[in-house]
Amino acid sequence: MKIVEQIKQPIAYEMELFEQKFLLSMSSKVALLNRITHYIVNRKGKQMRPMFVFLVSKMVSNGEVSERTYRGASVIELIHTATLVHDDVVDDSNRRRGFFSVNALWKNKIAVLVGDYLLSKGLLLSIDNNDFDLLKIISIAVREMSEGELLQIEKARRLDITEDIYYEIIRQKTATLIAACCSLGAASVKPESTHVETMRKFGELIGMAFQIKDDLFDYGQEKIGKPTGIDIKEQKMTLPLIHVLNKVSKKDSKWLINSIKNHNKDAKRVKEVIAFVKEQGGLDYAVTKMKAFQEEALKMLEPYPESAYKSSLILMVNYVIERKK
């Protein structure tokens, strides 16, 4: 059995029901919108975010979910989908998960409006049901994701990024949404309990490991969604590179910065940078850090009683750093 199917097993029924509810939560009176949202739903990814919501919810409440859990999962997925649609416009990207992106098929203006629509649908789903605690969790995540993206853009311009700033960027950009999924799962069944903050921290740690793994793909040979060296071409400062920049001689660090600033479109130079970072132990260092986040996340699950949901979350944490794409 595929690992994702194995993780999904204890929540298979909830995930099926969730898909129906999620489609309903997107519906509109505008035919064009429905056509686009159907297109998006039919090309869904692994749905890791709703999986986190249901697994956490069932783990902290001895196997229970509520209508709030379904709404929480729908809100997260609506907001996440809105950010993906907007990201493709920002990045001028024509593909998403192997298919044409919304902006490639319907142009940027429509894509931006669709993203706005999905965002507002998500917020209203919480407001209409008085899920103000869930809405707060989501709204903080949206704010932090925007701040993280802007911080990354600002730093890419100057390339003056330290390891601490890098962690802050990935915490906001990536980890905050997974943290929101986990705290939402807990809050949907045990509002105002200590589980809400514990699970937020748990999700944040997984998110950090997840993003470092993504950074490592930029140096790898595996067949994945993005070609090798794309982060360097986009002048994104990732952990392997930051670590090497901080430890090498002034001359080497000058060469690295110059390569990224002025030769980032030169395929041969990008290959040289990748080889240099590998040689200097940048990848090994990033792997060590990623594993530290993973171990810390697993520690947070220890106090919870054994259950199929806890086992799936452990599998999920391990999958995040062992995945091939």
Side-chain angles (χ1 to χ4, degrees), residues 11 51-66 68-70 181-182 184-190 199 309 313:
I11 49 163
M51 281 158 68
F52 273 122
V53 175
F54 289 114
L55 287 170
V56 167
S57 162
K58 295 189 95 167
M59 182 184 73
V60 303
S61 68
N62 299 324
E64 282 176 34
V65 294
S66 65
R68 268 164 59 87
T69 317
Y70 286 102
C181 296
C182 297
L184 256 182
S188 71
V189 284
K190 300 267 184 190
M199 288 294 103
Y309 320 114
L313 281 169

Side-chain angles (χ1 to χ4, degrees), residues 203-230:
E204 186 172 282
L205 290 163
I206 298 173
M208 300 292 278
F210 183 92
Q211 187 55 54
I212 295 173
K213 178 70 173 178
D214 247 24
D215 291 352
L216 285 164
F217 281 141
D218 206 46
Y219 293 86
Q221 297 306 318
E222 290 126 323
K223 275 302 280 170
I224 40 146
K226 57 180 190 175
T228 302
I230 202 162

Side-chain angles (χ1 to χ4, degrees), residues 97-112:
R97 295 178 183 133
F99 297 96
F100 282 116
S101 56
V102 172
N103 50 304
L105 292 172
W106 286 280
K107 301 288 178 279
N108 281 352
K109 185 177 181 178
I110 289 175
V112 170

Side-chain angles (χ1 to χ4, degrees), residues 10-217:
I11 49 163
Y13 170 76
E14 285 80 7
M15 288 299 290
E16 231 169 87
L17 192 52
F18 160 73
E19 291 209 7
Q20 297 162 25
K21 290 177 184 277
F22 180 55
L23 193 54
L24 279 175
S25 70
M26 276 187 165
S27 68
S28 147
K29 291 189 177 75
V30 179
L32 173 63
L33 246 177
N34 286 333
R35 208 157 61 238
I36 296 171
T37 53
H38 267 272
Y39 177 80
I40 292 168
V41 169
N42 289 334
R43 281 148 194 83
K44 62 181 182 295
K46 295 183 196 80
Q47 294 188 305
M48 280 174 72
R49 286 156 194 84
M51 281 158 68
F52 273 122
V53 175
F54 289 114
L55 287 170
V56 167
S57 162
K58 295 189 95 167
M59 182 184 73
V60 303
S61 68
N62 299 324
E64 282 176 34
V65 294
S66 65
E67 274 306 312
R68 268 164 59 87
T69 317
Y70 286 102
R71 288 197 295 271
S74 291
V75 171
I76 278 282
E77 202 62 348
L78 282 163
I79 306 275
H80 175 58
T81 309
T83 60
L84 293 183
V85 172
H86 280 165
D87 277 354
D88 287 339
V89 175
V90 171
D91 297 339
D92 204 11
S93 171
N94 290 326
R95 313 289 287 183
R96 166 71 60 187
R97 295 178 183 133
F99 297 96
F100 282 116
S101 56
V102 172
N103 50 304
L105 292 172
W106 286 280
K107 301 288 178 279
N108 281 352
K109 185 177 181 178
I110 289 175
V112 170
L113 293 168
V114 168
D116 291 347
Y117 172 77
L118 295 172
L119 188 63
S120 65
K121 279 296 248 192
L123 302 178
L124 283 168
L125 185 58
S126 296
I127 292 166
D128 291 345
N129 292 284
N130 293 329
D131 297 330
F132 296 111
D133 56 335
L134 305 187
L135 182 61
K136 187 175 183 181
I137 292 169
I138 301 278
S139 302
I140 289 169
V142 173
R143 182 197 71 203
E144 294 212 313
M145 284 156 69
S146 313
E147 282 179 354
E149 285 289 354
L150 288 162
L151 180 59
Q152 185 171 43
I153 290 167
E154 180 193 337
K155 294 297 170 187
R157 282 184 179 157
R158 299 213 301 267
L159 298 184
D160 60 342
I161 184 164
T162 62
E163 203 170 308
D164 285 344
I165 291 171
Y166 165 81
Y167 289 133
E168 187 51 22
I169 289 171
I170 68 168
R171 187 191 66 74
Q172 291 185 315
K173 233 185 74 164
T174 304
T176 193
L177 192 61
I178 299 176
C181 296
C182 297
S183 61
L184 256 182
S188 71
V189 284
K190 300 267 184 190
E192 292 174 34
S193 68
T194 54
H195 301 297
V196 180
E197 176 54 23
T198 304
M199 288 294 103
R200 186 201 66 77
K201 187 70 190 143
F202 166 74
E204 186 172 282
L205 290 163
I206 298 173
M208 300 292 278
F210 183 92
Q211 187 55 54
I212 295 173
K213 178 70 173 178
D214 247 24
D215 291 352
L216 285 164
F217 281 141

Side-chain angles (χ1 to χ4, degrees), residues 241-256:
L241 188 59
I242 293 162
H243 173 68
V244 170
L245 265 175
N246 289 333
K247 65 169 258 196
V248 296
S249 67
K250 258 219 160 80
K251 180 173 161 259
D252 284 340
S253 113
K254 242 185 169 160
W255 173 80
L256 270 174

Side-chain angles (χ1 to χ4, degrees), residues 253-279:
S253 113
K254 242 185 169 160
W255 173 80
L256 270 174
I257 296 265
N258 182 34
S259 304
I260 293 155
K261 259 194 172 151
N262 306 314
H263 305 281
N264 58 324
K265 299 284 187 276
D266 173 348
K268 184 171 169 285
R269 188 75 167 255
V270 168
K271 267 204 176 100
E272 284 168 12
V273 168
I274 289 173
F276 184 74
V277 170
K278 281 183 178 173
E279 225 169 82

